[in-house]
Structure formats: C-alpha cells, structure tokens
Amino acid sequence: MARRIKFFDTTLRDGEQTPGVSLNLQEKLEIALALERLGVDYVEAGFAIASNGDFEAIQGISEALKSTSVVSLARALEKDIDRAWDAVKSAVSPRIHIFLATSDIHMKYKLKMTEQEVLENSAKAVAYAKKFTGDVEFSPEDATRSRPEFLYRVLAGAIQAGATCLNIPDTVGYTNPEEYTRLIKGILANVPGIEKVEISVHCHNDLGLAAANSAAAAAAGASQIEGCINGLGERGGNAAIEELVMLFNTRRDYYQLDHNIDSTKINRTSKLISSLTGIYVQPHKPIVGANAFAHESGIHQHGVLEERTTYEIMTPESIGLTSNRMVLGKLSGKHAFVRRLEELGVVLDTDDAVNKAFGKFKALADRKKDVLDEDLLALADDNYDTKAKRFALVSFQISSGNRMINTATVRLKVGDDLVTNAATGDGPIDASYKAINEICGYGFTLKDYALRSVTGGHDALGEVNVKIECNGKVYLGRGVSTDIIESSILACLNAVNRVV
Ligand code: KIV
Ligand code: ZN
C-alpha cells in the first residue's frame, strides 16, 4: 500500500545560503506563496536570529500562508528559540527546527563540547521549544559522519524531550544510498520511541547523490524529505525537490509514495525562483533545464514522433510546460493576457499588479511581434520589483563604436527630481553604469554581469542579471527589455534600488 511522503522546502533558508543569493521581503513572500501553491507541506522561511531581515520575512510568511506549516531554524540556545517562536507564532501550524552537531569532528573543533554536553543541550533545547509549540524538529547536524551509537542516544533524548520530527542531515553530502539506507534502518531499529515521530532526511549534493540518497532513505522508511527547488543550497546545493517529485510520480510502481505536490506547477515555481535569485538553471538540469524535454538526435526525434514513450519517461505537460507557445500579440486584450498568465501559474493578486504587468505587455507587443509564454513569465517576474524605487530610468542615449570613445547619457528620476549625467567607458554598458554610479553616489563596483535571451529570434527579450558590491554587501539586479542596453541599465537600477 502507498505511503504518504511529506516535502519540506528549505529554498528560503538553506537555498538562500547559495553564494550570491540575497532575497528581499517581497521576493521571499512571492516564493513562499508559490511554494504553497505547489503543495509543499513545510516552508522553512529562514533562521530568525540570523538577521532582522530573516526575522521579518519569517513573520510575514507566517501571516501570509493559509495552509502550509512555517518553520524557523534555531541553534540549541534559548535566545535562538525565543526569536524563532516570535517569528513563526502567527503561522497556521508553526514549527521550530533546532540543530546541534553530533559528529566527532564538529563536536571537537566547532562546538568544543563533549558528548555529554551535546546530549544534554539537545534535549534541553527541544524541551524548551516544546513550551511554545507542539511541533519541534531536531537535527543532529553532520549525522552521516556521526557514530551511530551516539546518534541513537541523542535522538532518543530528543524524542523523550518532545521532538515530533527527527531530521538526519547529510550535511556535507558525504553518504551514499546503501550507507544512508543502513543508517535509517539502524535508527528505526535502535531508537526507542522512533515509531511516534516523523523521520526526515536532508541531503546535500557535494558528490551528486542528494536526490538518490533522499529517495533511498524514503524507501527505507523516512517520511519527510527536505530540499530546495532547482537544487539550490550551500556549496553543491540540496536535493532538488522537483527531481524527487517526478521520480516518485514516474516510478510509482517502485516507490509507492504519495505526496501533496501539484507537479504541473513545477516549471512555473522553478522559473520564478531562478529569476528572483538570479541563479540560472543549467540547460541539462533534470526536469527543469531548458533541454530536459528536448530531443536532438534524429533517431530520438524519429522515435518520439512514432511513439512518445520510446524516449520520454514523463510528459512536458506533467511539469506545466505547454506546447501552446505563441500566444499573444499587440491586439490582445487584458482578459486574454490575465487568463494566459493564470494558465502559466502566475497569480497577480491586485488590480495594480495586473495593470502594471499589462502595461509592460503592451509596450513589449509594440516592439515584438509574437509574445511567447517565456516572455510573459519574464514580464511577470519583473513585476516583483523592489518597492523602494528611488532611482527610475527616464531615458538614455548611447554613442558607441570600436574606434571612438563610448559615451552614455542617462536621465533618471531621483525621488521627485530629474537628474541627467554623461560618462565615458570601455563600452556602452560600462559608460552607462558609470553615469548611474555618479548620480546615485554609492560608489558600487560591478561584480557580475550575465545576459541571456529569453526566447529565440531577432526581437527576443534580453534578460540581464547583475551583482553589484556596495559597502561590502552584494546586491542582485535584474532587467528585461528587447534592447540589451536598456535591460542592462534596468538591471543596474534594480540593484541600486536594493541598496536604498
Ligand atoms: O545541512 C544541514 O545539516 C543543515 C541543518 C541545519 C539541518 O542545513
Ligand atoms: Zn543543509
């Protein structure tokens, strides 16, 4: 008989630890709402004590989500647990997630604690959290490099103190499916009271085994899987939730696991997260990469045309990709526009958001004959712009060539004023960024610049993602336009407005 597996999404916590990712409150809210629509059981919204930004995001998400549990991470310290509880207490079902390392190497070098201290502190922290909420998760960090006998004792202590979920993290992506299966079975056989609690798994992908390890653990009896959309996370990332969902759907004959995820929302959720984090998905990434459903070789194409299942084990439609690509043009009305966005899984929940997005669509349709689904998604993501728009583009003029001095004149609206500045540079983008830098006076440096075409064709939208550094902090910016200089300037201003 099929069992139910829960999905615990940590895109906003472990995923936000991806180098270069830093999301603002509005973006985190958008992602949390998308995760709720996708159907995850838990959203780990952050680490409340880490920063005020994390705290406010967890609080905002706790108020916004209607059915999904919201989780905050905490160390095994009362001050962390107090802060975590303050952040999640308004959620429909709040959970506090406590972690303390149990491997010799972490206890000796990082914690400088004895086994006895780790045993006592973990149980004490769980009991303390339990005063606030009935739902407490405990993670013995670096569990896969811990001595199993010691791990069993720590887990038993956490259960006795009231933990409802025990997570077994493969913190450094060290284990393999056979070894992890043995560990989960060992825990099931040796930890008193284990049958009363949830067993969760949390795998990092340093050796490329995160999804395989998670699936093996689920088959061995784990009932919750932690992961991130697009496999985001520290170093090599976490297990990619979309890969596990499609594995359980495609190989239901083998795993017999049911879950609450609506797989048709995978594509949209992945695109939204990629666009808001500025982390592109590699083309050959399973499930959500641009090539995941493409057939290049003639033999494969022939096979698929004769009978799809010769080379396709899942359909593009099952993750929400549609074959209906060319959709709207400049004569299309607001109704058709909103309906198509809804079909693509985009929810614009205020009239203001609809009008703003429709205005952008009309402007785009004037410049681009066919507005494709990818264009619509890029426009929709552009709507999640920073609220504080101190600097807005009014106009720009470029004089550029390979045998002349490249000059950019940029006119910005700064608060209520119009400010114009001209600068020269190595190329038109360098010149326009210098002009902006002089206007805003932040002295930022450009750390990263990436340009990609959203669709094919000479009139394709160009999407630019930049990272700028200002006062030791890195800010991401994104801009889209059919003109790559304009998208570059918009991306720069988007980043500069985050500094504000
Ligand atoms: O990888 C890890 O061990 C973690 C814990 C905090 C669960 O992220
Ligand atoms: Zn982790």
Side-chain angles (χ1 to χ4, degrees):
M1 210 181 76
R3 271 193 302 130
R4 163 90 151 83
I5 189 99
K6 291 186 179 171
F7 278 100
F8 175 112
D9 182 280
T10 182
T11 305
L12 294 173
R13 201 276 298 167
D14 220 322
E16 223 220 356
Q17 292 171 220
T18 306
V21 172
S22 165
L23 297 159
N24 64 31
L25 176 61
Q26 200 193 347
E27 291 162 339
K28 287 185 182 177
L29 261 173
E30 284 308 331
I31 292 177
L33 290 166
L35 292 169
E36 180 165 67
R37 288 193 290 274
L38 179 68
V40 303
D41 299 281
Y42 293 89
V43 166
E44 186 165 51
F47 187 0
I49 201 143
S51 69
N52 287 341
D54 256 40
F55 179 83
E56 282 162 18
I58 304 169
Q59 216 174 29
I61 290 167
S62 298
E63 280 157 20
L65 296 194
K66 297 193 177 61
S67 56
T68 314
S69 296
V70 181
V71 186
S72 170
L73 187 67
R75 289 168 299 180
L77 297 173
E78 289 191 0
K79 64 173 182 183
D80 278 40
I81 297 168
D82 289 339
R83 194 81 174 138
W85 173 244
D86 266 353
V88 293
K89 65 184 173 200
S90 53
V92 277
S93 39
R95 173 181 276 190
I96 297 176
H97 176 192
I98 298 164
F99 71 102
L100 187 61
T102 49
S103 63
D104 287 347
I105 196 160
H106 276 235
M107 288 191 292
K108 180 168 175 200
Y109 295 105
K110 187 183 80 175
L111 299 174
K112 302 192 188 338
M113 277 187 186
T114 61
E115 279 192 357
Q116 193 54 30
E117 283 169 325
V118 167
L119 265 168
E120 282 168 14
N121 284 8
S122 47
K124 224 172 84 191
V126 171
Y128 184 72
K130 203 60 192 198
K131 290 190 191 153
F132 299 113
T133 170
D135 194 5
V136 177
E137 172 171 335
F138 176 71
S139 288
E141 193 190 5
D142 206 16
T144 52
R145 292 194 300 166
S146 303
R147 277 174 294 107
E149 285 64 34
F150 176 57
L151 185 64
Y152 302 155
R153 286 169 61 211
V154 175
L155 294 175
I159 295 176
Q160 264 191 348
T164 40
C165 175
L166 295 178
N167 182 35
I168 314 300
D170 184 27
T171 303
V172 290
Y174 180 74
T175 198
N176 64 48
E178 291 75 25
E179 199 179 70
Y180 207 35
T181 298
R182 268 204 304 280
L183 180 62
I184 300 296
K185 288 193 170 160
I187 289 168
L188 281 167
N190 292 291
V191 177
I194 194 76
E195 66 291 344
K196 295 186 293 202
V197 302
E198 197 101 66
I199 301 187
S200 177
V201 288
H202 176 113
C203 296
H204 280 265
N205 205 27
D206 300 62
L207 294 172
L209 289 173
N213 287 337
S214 307
S223 49
Q224 174 178 289
I225 294 182
E226 306 194 356
C228 298
I229 301 295
N230 297 342
L232 292 179
E234 285 267 2
R235 306 180 311 277
N238 286 67
I241 287 190
E242 66 278 8
E243 292 174 15
L244 287 152
V245 169
M246 293 315 287
L247 172 64
F248 298 147
N249 285 1
T250 309
R251 295 304 313 276
R252 198 172 184 288
D253 58 318
Y254 183 84
Y255 290 98
Q256 304 219 359
L257 290 171
D258 288 335
H259 54 75
N260 190 46
I261 303 287
D262 174 358
S263 72
T264 64
K265 302 227 161 58
I266 285 178
N267 179 51
R268 170 66 196 135
T269 314
S270 160
K271 292 272 182 330
L272 175 72
I273 289 171
S274 165
S275 139
L276 294 185
T277 56
I279 305 285
Y280 288 137
V281 171
Q282 73 202 45
H284 53 290
K285 161 96 178 56
I287 318 296
V288 289
N291 298 346
F293 293 92
H295 301 282
E296 179 74 17
S297 103
I299 295 175
H300 287 207
Q301 287 170 351
H302 176 73
V304 170
L305 286 175
E306 287 294 314
E307 168 53 43
R308 188 190 61 75
T309 53
T310 49
Y311 286 102
E312 263 185 20
I313 56 169
M314 39 192 171
T315 64
E317 289 78 15
S318 64
I319 65 149
L321 282 168
T322 54
S323 43
N324 178 10
R325 285 173 56 81
M326 197 193 75
V327 276
L328 303 171
K330 68 178 177 189
L331 298 177
S332 307
K334 199 191 288 187
H335 185 69
F337 169 73
V338 172
R339 217 184 53 201
R340 187 66 197 142
L341 279 181
E342 278 169 7
E343 283 165 5
L344 292 170
V346 179
V347 182
L348 297 176
D349 42 11
T350 63
D351 285 349
D352 190 44
V354 170
N355 290 337
K356 205 170 136 200
F358 188 61
K360 286 184 181 173
F361 159 69
K362 280 288 181 189
L364 176 63
D366 270 343
R367 294 160 113 179
K368 191 172 188 297
K369 187 169 164 290
D370 301 326
V371 180
L372 308 178
D373 287 348
E374 289 90 337
D375 298 320
L376 289 178
L377 290 175
L379 286 186
D381 293 343
D382 211 33
N383 243 24
Y384 308 127
D385 216 343
T386 47
K387 273 202 178 128
K389 259 199 168 173
R390 177 156 167 74
F391 304 98
L393 177 66
V394 177
S395 61
F396 68 91
Q397 195 178 328
I398 300 291
S399 165
S400 142
N402 63 344
R403 285 169 189 265
M404 62 188 294
I405 295 173
N406 292 286
T407 313
T409 307
V410 179
R411 173 171 289 190
L412 301 184
K413 191 157 179 286
V414 184
D416 291 330
D417 301 325
L418 281 181
V419 184
T420 308
N421 188 33
T424 58
D426 286 341
I429 294 167
D430 185 41
S432 49
Y433 281 21
K434 279 189 183 150
I436 293 172
N437 218 345
E438 284 167 16
I439 294 178
C440 70
Y442 290 153
F444 65 78
T445 43
L446 180 66
K447 286 284 162 198
D448 200 9
Y449 173 96
L451 165 67
R452 79 175 182 109
S453 144
V454 173
T455 53
H458 68 96
D459 58 358
L461 273 183
E463 179 183 292
V464 171
N465 280 279
V466 295
K467 279 183 201 149
I468 62 169
E469 190 178 291
C470 191
N471 300 326
K473 283 184 83 177
V474 174
Y475 300 87
L476 290 178
R478 175 179 174 275
V480 282
S481 167
T482 48
D483 176 330
I484 58 167
I485 308 283
E486 186 170 12
S487 34
S488 303
I489 291 177
L490 290 173
C492 179
L493 289 174
N494 184 230
V496 164
N497 279 318
R498 283 164 201 260
V499 181
V500 179

